[in-house]
Amino acid sequence: QVQLVESGGGLVQAGGSLRLSCAASGSISSINEQAWYRQAPGKQRELVARVSSGGSTNYADSVKGRFTISRDNAKNTVYLQMNSLKPEDTAVYYCRWMYYWGQGTQVTVSS
C-alpha cells in the first residue's frame, strides 16, 4: 500500500525558514502530480503549491516568491521549501501525491 510520511514541521520565528518533506513508500510514480495544502483553525483548506506531471509549478499568491515545491525522484520525496515565514503561514500542512494524502504536519510561526 502507498503511504505518505510528512516531516519538517515545527516552531520558527517570523522571517525564518523550514523545509517540509513528504516521502512516499510503496509502488508509486514520482512523475505524477504532487501538491501541498494548508489549513488553519476555522479556515478552509487552501492549495499552497503544486507541481504537475510535466514539471510545471504554481503557487498561491500569498506564498509566491517565498515557497518552492520540488521533488527528488531518487528519494521518492516531494519538498516544500518555506522562506521568509510569516505568522499568517501558521497552519497544518498536508501533502498530496496524486490522490494520496499525508497525515499533516504543524507549522507555527511566532512573531
Side-chain angles (χ1 to χ4, degrees), residues 4-111:
L4 303 182
V5 179
E6 296 186 33
S7 62
L11 174 64
V12 298
Q13 284 190 331
S17 298
L18 285 174
R19 188 175 73 161
L20 306 184
S21 299
C22 180
S25 62
S27 181
I28 192 168
S29 174
S30 64
I31 63 173
N32 285 327
E33 181 204 19
Q34 296 144 339
W36 288 93
Y37 298 77
R38 68 186 181 188
Q39 187 168 25
K43 302 293 184 180
Q44 292 185 338
R45 183 172 59 188
E46 65 171 337
L47 176 67
V48 174
R50 174 184 176 271
V51 56
S52 73
S53 60
S56 298
T57 59
N58 60 74
Y59 299 90
D61 288 341
S62 59
V63 308
K64 197 171 298 181
R66 300 187 296 121
F67 291 10
T68 303
I69 187 170
S70 63
R71 56 192 176 199
D72 186 330
N73 291 341
K75 296 181 178 180
N76 226 22
T77 301
V78 61
Y79 302 96
L80 184 68
Q81 179 67 46
M82 310 164 68
N83 298 328
S84 301
L85 283 163
K86 306 174 180 179
E88 50 262 45
D89 295 319
T90 296
V92 177
Y93 284 71
Y94 300 89
C95 68
R96 177 176 60 80
W97 194 309
M98 198 158 54
Y99 47 80
Y100 299 100
W101 288 85
Q103 290 279 293
T105 184
Q106 177 71 47
V107 171
T108 302
V109 184
S110 63
S111 60

